[in-house]
Amino acid sequence: MNDIQVTKQDNGWQVTANSGTYTVQDKNGNGRIDSADIWTTKNGGSLPTTDEMAFAMGLSLKKENMTTEEIERYNKIQAELQKREQVQHYQQQAQVPKKKTFWQKLAGASMIAMPVMSMLTGITSLFSRSWGYNSGVFNDSMLRVFGGLTMTTAGMSAMIPLLGMFSKQQNNCFMPAANTLGTTNMTGVVESMMTAQNQWMDQQNQRMEELQKQQQARLAKQKIEQNRQFVEKIREEALAENSLYSEKNKRYLISKYDIEGEKEYPEEVIKNLEQMHKTPSIPIMHIRQDSDDKTKLSPNVAQKLQTLITQYKQKNDMQKEDIMTEKNYERIELILGYDTLNEDLVKELNEICEDPLDKLI
């Protein structure tokens, strides 16, 4: 702040500071810069800082002419400036480099040794664990692989900045062996280790791809077996006594059934059989898969029809009328027996679902 200059003019002052040159108009005519005065700057620039304004205020008059409030603010700013100068002085002193002691040099050597040991430990862990692991779950194998890989990579990452430090400080190192080795040889060692690591990673990637293929093959085989078991279950339900499966669904099942149990069932067949399991009395060819097809029943309506049919068949003759009228039941059976449906028939089945007790149908 000592470089601030205040020059008296006719009706105010000119203030020159680090941030620029300003004109102060003595608005109240009291002969000193205070909060009532007007500051202006050339070219519409920004005003000075609060500290600069306060410092200019103190230079515009003698201290004994200040008010109590002005003196208190002026002293506060001066104390703050002295404190800042002391902090800057201490920071400059702290930046002066000092000669390293024996123990500091020893700590530097340890910093290099630690990542090297980390790399060696990681590589050893990779070879000792992963190559000997030829069975088990694929995810467990990958955890072993990446566990060792993380240790190795961490060590390599730590070595890169330390090599730069080593190249700058090796002439001051207390260890003669380090001076003899040199940065070039040390870099060659690290490059060789990185090459070995990259080769190992390529081999491990191939190993992971093989494990993935093996797992995918196992899952595919399990899925095929599960589908076969599911088809067998549907066949038993369809052929059981008092089965709810319609004749059309039974014929569809027989046409797709693999009596030798060797072929793989297509996903479309499995999906149709899953729908048949939910709605056994509704022929699968009458249930739509495309929402725009108005000549087939939606899966939701098919489920409602199945519930009505199941409940109707489970009741005795006296109770059946509580579920739906006999005419409605006969109409459902007749429509579902057709090979194909049209929009009118689908609409009629929808109306029966909405009001199965309507005797006007």
Side-chain angles (χ1 to χ4, degrees):
M1 293 296 179
N2 293 333
D3 54 349
I4 293 181
Q5 297 180 0
V6 178
T7 304
K8 180 65 177 174
Q9 294 183 342
D10 293 338
N11 190 29
W13 301 264
Q14 177 178 291
V15 179
T16 303
N18 293 333
S19 57
T21 301
Y22 310 91
T23 299
V24 184
Q25 181 184 357
D26 191 3
K27 188 71 175 176
N28 51 17
N30 61 3
R32 63 171 183 265
I33 298 176
D34 54 28
S35 59
D37 296 336
I38 299 176
W39 290 70
T40 58
T41 180
K42 295 181 180 180
N43 301 324
S46 60
L47 293 176
T49 63
T50 303
D51 291 349
E52 289 175 337
M53 286 184 175
F55 202 86
M57 176 191 69
L59 294 177
S60 68
L61 75 167
K62 294 182 180 180
K63 192 172 182 179
E64 54 266 22
N65 294 331
M66 296 183 186
T67 64
T68 303
E69 181 180 354
E70 290 171 340
I71 292 175
E72 180 179 353
R73 177 169 178 77
Y74 181 81
N75 291 336
K76 184 176 180 180
I77 292 175
Q78 287 295 97
E80 181 65 23
L81 291 174
Q82 292 178 2
K83 186 183 299 183
R84 292 180 185 178
E85 291 176 356
Q86 290 179 354
V87 171
Q88 292 177 355
H89 175 73
Y90 290 143
Q91 290 177 342
Q92 292 173 355
Q93 291 294 324
Q95 292 174 356
V96 177
K98 297 181 180 180
K99 186 177 181 180
K100 288 190 175 182
T101 64
F102 170 85
W103 297 109
Q104 289 173 328
K105 294 177 180 179
L106 179 60
S110 299
M111 289 175 65
I112 296 177
M114 289 175 64
V116 172
M117 291 301 296
S118 176
M119 285 189 295
L120 294 176
T121 303
I123 293 174
T124 303
S125 173
L126 289 168
F127 279 98
S128 62
R129 294 184 182 182
S130 299
W131 282 113
Y133 190 75
N134 296 321
S135 62
V137 181
F138 176 75
N139 291 336
D140 294 338
S141 178
M142 292 306 97
L143 288 174
R144 293 173 181 265
V145 170
F146 288 107
L149 182 60
T150 301
M151 296 174 64
T152 307
T153 305
M156 295 299 295
S157 300
M159 279 297 295
I160 294 174
L162 288 177
L163 281 175
M165 296 170 56
F166 183 76
S167 65
K168 295 179 181 179
Q169 300 177 3
Q170 61 172 341
N171 292 331
N172 297 326
C173 185
F174 70 94
M175 297 174 61
N179 286 320
T180 304
L181 177 62
T183 305
T184 302
N185 292 341
M186 190 66 179
T187 304
V189 171
V190 175
E191 289 178 351
S192 298
M193 296 178 69
M194 292 181 66
T195 300
Q197 181 188 11
N198 290 336
Q199 291 175 350
W200 180 88
M201 290 178 64
D202 292 339
Q203 295 173 348
Q204 197 61 33
N205 286 335
Q206 295 178 1
R207 175 62 175 164
M208 285 190 290
E209 290 177 0
E210 293 176 0
L211 290 174
Q212 284 181 326
K213 291 179 180 178
Q214 292 175 8
Q215 175 133 338
Q216 290 173 356
R218 285 196 299 269
L219 293 176
K221 187 176 181 180
Q222 291 175 2
K223 183 65 175 178
I224 292 173
E225 183 60 29
Q226 290 174 356
N227 287 342
R228 287 174 181 168
Q229 293 177 3
F230 175 70
V231 173
E232 290 293 335
K233 177 183 178 181
I234 298 300
R235 182 174 180 272
E236 291 177 1
E237 291 179 354
L239 300 180
E241 187 177 358
N242 298 325
S243 171
L244 292 174
Y245 281 76
S246 67
E247 291 300 322
K248 291 184 180 296
N249 281 343
K250 290 179 182 180
R251 287 197 295 270
Y252 176 85
L253 174 61
I254 293 174
S255 67
K256 303 299 181 181
Y257 181 71
D258 176 24
I259 191 171
E260 297 179 352
E262 296 178 353
K263 73 176 184 180
E264 179 180 352
Y265 288 100
E267 285 298 320
E268 181 182 359
V269 173
I270 297 299
K271 185 177 181 180
N272 287 336
L273 293 180
E274 289 174 346
Q275 180 64 53
M276 284 171 53
H277 181 63
K278 298 176 183 177
T279 55
S281 301
I282 314 301
I284 190 62
M285 66 282 300
H286 292 339
I287 302 175
R288 71 188 182 201
Q289 296 181 356
D290 183 0
S291 59
D292 294 332
D293 189 354
K294 305 302 181 182
T295 63
K296 293 183 180 181
L297 299 168
S298 69
N300 185 41
V301 173
Q303 186 64 61
K304 291 181 178 179
L305 280 176
Q306 182 62 55
T307 300
L308 286 174
I309 293 172
T310 302
Q311 292 177 349
Y312 187 86
K313 288 185 175 182
Q314 289 176 347
K315 300 295 183 179
N316 57 41
D317 294 339
M318 298 295 295
Q319 297 174 325
K320 290 182 184 297
E321 291 291 329
D322 296 332
I323 303 300
M324 119 178 95
T325 64
E326 183 178 359
K327 288 184 178 181
N328 284 342
Y329 174 74
E330 292 175 350
R331 187 61 181 165
I332 291 174
E333 289 291 307
L334 177 63
I335 295 175
L336 293 181
Y338 294 152
D339 290 336
T340 58
L341 305 180
N342 55 38
E343 292 189 27
D344 291 336
L345 293 175
V346 171
K347 182 179 179 181
E348 185 176 345
L349 291 175
N350 288 341
E351 291 175 350
I352 294 176
C353 286
E354 292 176 3
D355 190 2
L357 295 177
D358 187 356
K359 300 181 182 299
L360 298 178
I361 298 178

